[in-house]
Each structure stands twice: as C-alpha cells, then as structure tokens.
Amino acid sequence: MDTYNEELGMRVPEHIAIILDGNGRWAKKRLMPRNYGHMQGSKAVELVCEEAYNIGVKYLTVYAFSTENWQRPSDEVQAIMKLLRNYLKDCIKTTSKNNMKVRILGDKAGLDDDIREQIDKLEKESSKNTGLNFQIAINYGSRDEMVRAMRRMSADIASGIIKESDITEETFSSYLDTRGIPDPDMIIRTSGEQRLSNFLMWQSAYSEFYFPEVLWPDFNRKELVKAIEAYNKRDRRYGKVKEK
Ligand code: FPP
C-alpha cells in the first residue's frame, strides 16, 4: 500500500522495481570501458537504496544480472560478478547498521559456490532487519522463475503436499522467488529503453511503468522524486471503473 510523504506532498509506492540500464552507454560517452560504467552503476544502487528508504519506499528490487546476460563477453560477465561479490561482501558488514533486509531473486544454482555462500550468509544475517527490503535479481529471468516454480509445485503435487485443486494465483505466487513480497507498484527502466526484458512478468500485472532517459549511473534522488511524481499522476484502476 502507498504511504504519504508529507515533505514531498506525494504518495510513495510501497514497492519500486528498477531495470538498471545504460551503464555501458554512460561509460562510452566518457570514453571509458563498459566495466567502469558498471562500477558507477553499482555506486548508484547503493545511493538509491538510501534515498528510496528515506523517502518511504518499503521494497526496492533491482535487476542486476539476467539469465540472458551470460551471453555478454566473458570479461564483462566476470567484471559484473566481481562487482556483485564485492557488493555482497560489503553488504554483510553494512546491513546491521542500515537495518536493510536483503533477498536475492533468481536461480542461485547457476552461480559460483562462493557467491552462493555469501548470499546465504547475507540473507540469513539480514533476515531479522526491519528497514528497507532490498531484492537483487541475479541470474534472474521471469520465464525461468516460473518454470522453476512449476517444477517445485509439480513435485509437491506428486508427493501429496498440495492437490491440483489447491493451485490458485496465490499458491503459484508462493512458489515464485518473490514469495511474500508485494507486487511492484512501479517499474522503472532507465536509459529510454521501453522493454520488460524477462523481469517480474507475473508480478507486474498491475505495475505502473516509467521510462526515463537518464542512464543508470546518473540516477539519483532527484530522478527518484521525478519518478514518484509521475506515479502520482497515474490513475490505478486495476481493471475496475474509478469510484466517484
Ligand atoms: C545494464 O547496462 C546493466 C547491467 C546488465 C548490469 C547491472 C549491474 C550492476 C549495476 C552491477 C552491480 C549491481 C549491484 C546490485 C551492486 P548495460 O550494460 O546494458 O548498458 P548499455 O545498454 O548502455 O550497454
């Protein structure tokens, strides 16, 4: 549910999900290697977590690495994994201070052992925190998430844990990586691209979409407030007729 920020005079979405796009172009504009763009992009992630929480956002989800991103040149894949490793390691230290609860979405089985261990540690140690709920999608694809959910659901039917007649939208949601997390109220994709790219396809059924031109490393509090302003102008009806 939206909350109200008195200072901004605006409703604040409970859950914002962001497709981080434009790191490569940001670096190219500065005649720097793409990996430099990813490094600045990861700094922007940290900043936006802080700003979003200060503004009143309860859940923030970022798309850091998709199931398709493995097809990038291997030095770029390795550089992004290195950034994620460093980020996870720092996060283990900082979450007790900033009270952030971190969860990773995606197929962890496809990640290196050391990254999986760090994820387990971070998720466990931050699980009791009550501040920002921060989800990072790594080796995530919506289709893959739904297939993995279907497999687990089928196994539970075969072993009698659930019955076919128990399958509802709620049960299916509870098998997804996002179980227990409210659907995103707003999905932002930076850099002017207007695609969902296999991100939260089930969960975004009633999300508001926002596509600013800004490249991800330049995204900051001002851009976040602009996004929330746009959200406030939207008329969310969820398929119903607006009440007078
Ligand atoms: C999209 O820009 C960005 C990515 C695929 C990688 C995002 C990863 C990070 C910001 C690293 C760290 C993440 C966290 C959570 C700390 P692009 O390379 O597609 O840019 P382009 O479209 O301009 O080439």
Side-chain angles (χ1 to χ4, degrees):
M1 225 197 356
D2 293 351
T3 49
Y4 192 75
N5 181 314
E6 296 282 350
E7 198 190 318
L8 294 176
M10 287 194 285
R11 280 182 290 111
V12 176
E14 181 179 31
H15 183 177
I16 296 181
I18 310 180
I19 302 174
L20 315 171
D21 200 2
N23 293 347
R25 275 164 285 169
W26 185 92
K28 196 171 171 204
K29 266 175 51 182
R30 287 161 179 79
L31 308 175
M32 294 296 276
R34 292 178 57 80
N35 294 340
Y36 180 66
H38 295 315
M39 204 171 81
Q40 294 303 314
S42 102
K43 289 189 185 158
V45 169
E46 289 180 47
L47 179 91
V48 170
C49 274
E50 238 180 84
E51 298 296 0
Y53 187 58
N54 290 339
I55 287 174
V57 174
K58 302 276 185 295
Y59 294 82
L60 182 74
T61 303
V62 298
Y63 202 5
F65 196 84
S66 74
T67 45
E68 289 74 31
N69 285 153
W70 297 109
Q71 291 159 37
R72 292 189 174 208
S74 78
D75 69 320
E76 182 169 346
V77 170
Q78 271 166 34
I80 295 176
M81 287 299 151
K82 190 169 166 203
L83 272 176
L84 288 169
R85 271 190 179 88
N86 290 340
Y87 179 82
L88 295 169
K89 211 187 290 162
D90 288 348
C91 224
I92 293 174
K93 289 188 220 135
T94 51
T95 48
S96 56
K97 242 189 267 156
N98 63 19
N99 200 19
M100 197 158 87
K101 180 170 169 175
V102 186
R103 219 160 101 183
I104 306 301
L105 312 178
D107 187 5
K108 295 173 189 156
L111 298 171
D112 285 352
D113 290 348
D114 68 306
I115 297 190
R116 271 211 315 266
E117 278 162 28
Q118 275 181 356
I119 289 174
D120 289 345
K121 192 162 174 223
L122 178 59
E123 287 186 329
K124 200 163 156 229
E125 288 188 11
S126 71
S127 66
K128 299 255 157 46
N129 290 346
T130 53
L132 180 73
N133 293 279
F134 181 47
Q135 291 70 237
I136 315 172
I138 309 177
N139 193 26
Y140 175 88
S142 222
R143 291 181 175 178
D144 178 68
E145 178 192 31
M146 289 194 252
V147 168
R148 285 185 287 107
M150 286 298 294
R151 287 197 178 138
R152 272 185 286 118
M153 211 159 70
S154 310
D156 282 354
I157 292 173
S159 57
I161 294 172
I162 60 166
K163 300 191 294 294
E164 189 190 324
S165 57
D166 291 331
I167 302 175
T168 60
E169 291 183 10
E170 286 71 30
T171 339
F172 184 65
S173 293
S174 75
Y175 279 84
L176 295 173
D177 298 343
T178 49
R179 76 196 71 84
I181 297 169
D183 288 343
D185 299 291
M186 177 164 67
I187 296 196
I188 301 174
R189 180 175 191 147
T190 53
S191 88
E193 305 290 343
Q194 305 193 1
R195 290 184 294 280
L196 202 45
S197 300
N198 206 5
F199 186 48
L200 303 178
M201 294 194 303
W202 169 273
Q203 299 85 341
S204 63
Y206 286 101
S207 304
E208 296 295 331
F209 289 87
Y210 178 70
F211 301 112
E213 291 294 323
V214 61
L215 304 175
W216 174 252
D218 288 330
F219 199 89
N220 53 19
R221 181 185 165 98
K222 196 168 139 228
E223 293 294 335
L224 185 63
V225 171
K226 267 175 28 193
I228 296 174
E229 258 164 23
Y231 177 80
N232 274 255
K233 294 196 183 111
R234 305 285 173 89
D235 179 17
R236 302 188 78 190
R237 294 194 299 273
Y238 301 94
K240 293 180 269 195
V241 173
K242 196 178 179 187
E243 288 158 30
K244 291 258 165 71

